[in-house]
Amino acid sequence: MPLTNNKQVLKFIDDAAKLVAPDRTVWIDGGREQLDALAAEAVRSGELIKLNGELLPGCYLHRTALNDVARVEHRTFICCRDEKDAGPTNNWMDPKAAYAKVGEIFKNSYNGRTMYVVPFSMGPVGSPFSKAGIEITDSIYVVLNMHIMTRIGKKVLDALGDSNDFVRGLHARAELSEEKRYICHFPEDNTIWSVNSGYGGNVLLGKKCFALRIASYQGKSEGWMAEHMLILGVQRPDGDVKYIAAAFPSACGKTNLAMLVPPKEYADKGYKVWCVGDDIAWIRPGKDGRLYAINPENGFFGVAPGTNAKSNPNALASVRKNTIFTNVAQNLDDNTVWWEKLDNSPPKNAIDWTGAKWDASSGKPGAHPNSRFTAPAANCPCISPEFENPQGVPLSAVVFGGRRASTAPLVYEARSFRHGVFVGAVMASETTAAAAGQVGVVRRDPMAMLPFCGYHMGDYFRHWLNIGKGLKNPPKIFNVNWFRTDAAGNFMWPGYGENLRVLEWILRRCEGGTTAAEEGKGVGKPCPAETGAVDTAIGYLPEDGAIDAAGAGVGAAQMKELLNVDAAVWREEAKGIGEFFNRFGNRLPKELKEELEELKARLG
Ligand code: SAT
Ligand code: MN
């Protein structure tokens, strides 16, 4: 039974059904009974394995196909009418050609299968930030993940009413063929087509496909921003909470930072960190001239390996119930799960992510490096009381960061909002297992949006600058690098909870600092000494002792190394930035060219 009379919704479902030809159609109402029945069916078919009901109540394990373990950027397309609008950093296909080509693959692909119709909301239902979508899928795994990651069911259709403002998502597992795998976005049609994959980032269409690629396009015309950012609140001893949004590429520790546990001395003083989101932020200018952010998701799709009691106890607590694990190892002795660095005692009697009998002494990993947990946000012990706030939280700071063994110091502050856009635009990071392809190669990843911007990246930079110009009280912009290594290749900064020491400096800087009148000029001004920063060629760096590093076991000499800005290395960096900028031709905002020239001049 259809759950709505909305004519455009019904037409979308009808057209899809004609194409994929399912045996039957099931509307997902969001009720517990239906979801439990689907989980039971998936357990019977082997799609899910039910885990130990006492130790991990409501939890399941899923293994993807061996060729289907990460996002596939080379098979991801932006299908807008004019190729130029996709820009130099996206793959492009003509929409007509894409509908025809991928339509052939979808044709009759649901034969013998059920078509699930999943109405979902990105953002709290009824929030002015929120947007509706409908995902059609033939996978129960997708339905159950969408239930955790978004708000689903009839309430979404009720809120949508007769409106045509919803994103149309169509997904089919088909044959899981790599050669015929396509993740296509039609921003001008509010449409996403994903075929031949069953992996999260390719098939949970509310996530990267909608909440970043389509939403970034919507935000450009509607005056808001969709960003690959975590959102966290730092509560200080006086009880005041300040919010930070931070962009890092996939698998660079966004979930860990978002759920940070303060070091003991900070906790004792009364510091606390609240998680609003770990991956995506939708950001709008508020009436007071500040930026406000919501997390459009309702759960966490986090990387499992490396998650442990030290790196992220809050994530561990979040995955103890009602969680779906993907591609981790299964401990057969107690029917629980395990992944690398969870602890030092891998199970003796286990099955690895490929489904084979596994012994840690083989040297092979038990869990795939991009194995994941899908956990409800409500499970997180530090979930922010503002998580459901339909108006979002006001941002004091925006942080960009990458994984770089050298070059980028532990932290620096942009000289103005305009300079901050430059700092985000030239971000670079080493690639990770979150996407198919080589790992550990440094690439430019502007604002961590390289794989997620649904339109021309030059226009995206322009949009950032425009948003900034309209703000009376813009957030300050920073860059961090937790991943700098010494000559022996060891990380120099301890990371995890100790990162609060850096966030604390960032927030102190947000209290002093520039005024709105100075914004947009792109020129540095001497930064007030009482706020603890020194003016350098690349931006403001913490002055000696401004960050309490000793408490983290980092001595003065090491801190000096962590904050070192090597002019020769940066002159090389500036060359690389120039080459990168050349790719955008005349769609690169002139302000960013000016920023590069000013950086070069400061470097000498
Ligand atoms: O695979 S996802 O795109 O969902 C997660 C990520 O890569 O950031
Ligand atoms: Mn991500």
Side-chain angles (χ1 to χ4, degrees):
M1 268 291 283
L3 293 180
T4 178
N5 297 319
N6 181 315
K7 291 209 174 54
Q8 356 276 335
V9 172
L10 296 176
K11 177 166 179 350
F12 164 58
I13 308 299
D14 241 32
D15 290 349
K18 279 190 193 120
L19 179 63
V20 298
D23 280 15
R24 59 189 196 119
T25 298
V26 171
W27 288 71
I28 301 299
D29 59 26
R32 197 65 262 172
E33 208 177 309
Q34 185 186 41
L35 294 166
D36 286 346
L38 286 174
E41 189 182 328
V43 169
R44 281 196 299 278
S45 73
E47 189 180 353
L48 293 180
I49 294 165
K50 187 157 178 40
L51 295 165
N52 186 320
E54 263 159 45
L55 298 174
L56 295 169
C59 294
Y60 297 89
L61 168 64
H62 171 78
R63 297 190 191 105
T64 66
L66 302 188
N67 72 355
D68 190 25
V69 294
R71 282 182 291 101
V72 280
E73 294 177 6
H74 59 298
R75 311 223 40 110
T76 298
F77 293 85
I78 301 299
C79 308
C80 46
R81 281 187 292 274
D82 186 343
E83 178 170 9
K84 288 198 205 78
D85 291 337
T89 57
N90 281 314
N91 302 311
W92 175 83
M93 243 197 284
D94 172 67
K96 272 211 192 96
Y99 282 129
K101 181 173 188 158
V102 183
E104 269 311 304
I105 303 173
F106 269 116
K107 199 183 244 174
N108 299 329
S109 60
Y110 281 34
N111 274 184
R113 304 178 67 84
T114 301
M115 173 164 117
Y116 300 101
V117 178
V118 189
F120 64 95
S121 172
M122 300 314 292
V125 178
S127 156
F129 284 74
S130 298
K131 295 255 180 202
I134 295 180
E135 175 162 357
I136 295 175
T137 178
D138 59 348
S139 156
I140 295 178
Y141 171 77
V142 169
V143 174
L144 298 178
N145 271 274
M146 285 296 283
H147 164 63
I148 299 173
M149 293 306 297
T150 74
R151 285 95 171 160
I152 66 166
K154 187 166 183 314
K155 59 180 185 268
V156 178
L157 292 168
D158 292 345
L160 183 66
D162 304 329
S163 167
N164 192 28
D165 186 10
F166 65 96
V167 166
R168 294 139 163 87
L170 178 61
H171 163 246
R173 283 166 54 86
E175 311 143 84
L176 297 178
S177 146
E178 269 173 284
E179 290 75 39
K180 292 197 237 161
R181 188 169 297 157
Y182 287 95
I183 321 296
C184 290
H185 306 73
F186 304 85
E188 289 144 352
D189 302 342
N190 263 352
T191 294
I192 305 159
W193 277 17
S194 164
V195 68
N196 271 306
S197 174
Y199 168 74
N202 300 326
V203 302
L204 306 180
L205 300 186
K207 196 171 179 60
K208 299 300 163 68
C209 299
F210 177 176
L212 288 179
R213 298 196 189 96
I214 298 285
S216 61
Y217 175 86
Q218 295 175 327
K220 177 175 67 115
S221 51
E222 296 170 11
W224 54 282
M225 307 200 284
E227 298 298 329
H228 193 200
M229 290 178 176
L230 66 92
I231 310 163
L232 61 78
V234 178
Q235 180 171 328
R236 283 134 122 215
D238 64 2
D240 181 41
V241 183
K242 293 264 188 297
Y243 294 92
I244 300 175
F248 298 80
S250 302
C252 287
K254 281 201 300 298
T255 307
N256 292 345
L257 185 62
M259 299 179 188
L260 181 154
V261 175
K264 184 169 181 315
E265 72 208 78
Y266 280 78
D268 288 349
K269 276 188 230 158
Y271 279 89
K272 185 158 174 41
V273 170
W274 299 102
C275 172
V276 181
D278 79 328
D279 195 39
I280 298 177
W282 283 2
I283 303 175
R284 282 173 192 269
K287 287 198 180 69
D288 57 359
R290 303 186 73 184
L291 284 180
Y292 283 77
I294 65 155
N295 169 13
E297 302 193 282
N298 201 23
F300 308 113
F301 186 62
V303 179
T307 305
N308 58 48
K310 171 165 184 270
S311 68
N312 197 338
N314 285 314
L316 274 194
S318 304
V319 304
R320 271 195 205 118
K321 60 178 186 195
N322 303 331
T323 294
I324 300 174
F325 297 92
T326 302
N327 289 344
V328 299
Q330 183 185 13
N331 181 343
L332 292 180
D333 283 336
D334 59 4
N335 194 23
T336 58
V337 287
W338 193 84
W339 50 78
E340 275 59 35
K341 299 203 185 134
L342 171 62
D343 53 40
N344 290 325
S345 43
K348 298 272 174 305
N349 178 23
I351 296 188
D352 71 9
W353 71 273
T354 72
K357 191 87 184 69
W358 175 73
D359 182 341
S361 65
S362 68
K364 285 199 282 184
H368 186 275
N370 192 38
S371 54
R372 299 269 171 169
F373 52 78
T374 321
N379 280 3
C380 181
C382 65
I383 195 71
S384 165
E386 302 298 317
F387 176 70
E388 298 279 353
N389 185 338
Q391 305 305 326
V393 294
L395 297 181
S396 297
V398 163
V399 175
F400 296 115
R403 187 184 275 274
R404 289 200 82 175
S406 65
T407 315
L410 178 63
V411 61
Y412 65 100
E413 177 192 330
R415 307 162 77 82
S416 64
F417 191 91
R418 190 184 101 157
H419 181 231
V421 176
F422 172 82
V423 168
V426 306
M427 241 171 87
S429 191
E430 292 155 24
T431 51
T432 68
Q438 218 185 327
V439 168
V441 189
V442 176
R443 68 170 183 183
R444 299 263 159 225
D445 188 348
M447 281 88 168
M449 283 288 279
L450 181 73
F452 306 122
C453 182
Y455 60 102
H456 195 297
M457 202 105 208
D459 297 351
Y460 168 79
F461 299 150
R462 161 67 52 215
H463 185 51
W464 260 89
L465 291 166
N466 285 345
I467 291 272
K469 274 186 201 138
L471 296 176
K472 274 209 305 289
N473 297 300
K476 283 197 160 197
I477 301 182
F478 298 80
N479 191 272
V480 300
N481 178 22
W482 314 134
F483 299 95
R484 199 150 171 172
T485 53
D486 62 17
N490 300 313
F491 291 121
M492 288 196 285
W493 179 250
Y496 306 115
E498 309 298 348
N499 291 338
L500 181 60
R501 297 169 193 276
V502 176
L503 298 185
E504 219 274 323
W505 178 77
I506 285 175
L507 289 178
R508 260 188 287 138
R509 288 294 299 164
C510 292
E511 276 159 14
T514 58
T515 62
E518 287 145 4
E519 286 304 326
K521 286 191 197 150
V523 282
K525 53 155 207 145
C527 48
E530 69 274 16
T531 54
V534 287
D535 195 355
T536 78
I538 65 168
Y540 301 138
L541 263 79
E543 67 183 11
D544 267 0
I547 291 179
D548 172 20
V554 175
Q558 184 145 327
M559 198 56 185
K560 212 165 176 170
E561 261 313 293
L562 276 161
L563 293 174
N564 182 36
V565 178
D566 183 330
V569 170
W570 273 89
R571 278 192 288 270
E572 274 309 301
E573 182 76 2
K575 262 191 223 154
I577 294 169
E579 283 159 25
F580 180 62
F581 276 0
N582 284 340
R583 295 179 63 191
F584 300 99
N586 60 11
R587 280 166 96 152
L588 182 81
K590 70 166 190 350
E591 291 90 328
L592 297 189
K593 273 188 227 154
E594 284 168 22
E595 285 293 343
L596 176 58
E597 290 315 311
E598 287 166 21
L599 170 66
K600 282 191 197 155
R602 290 193 302 265
L603 287 166

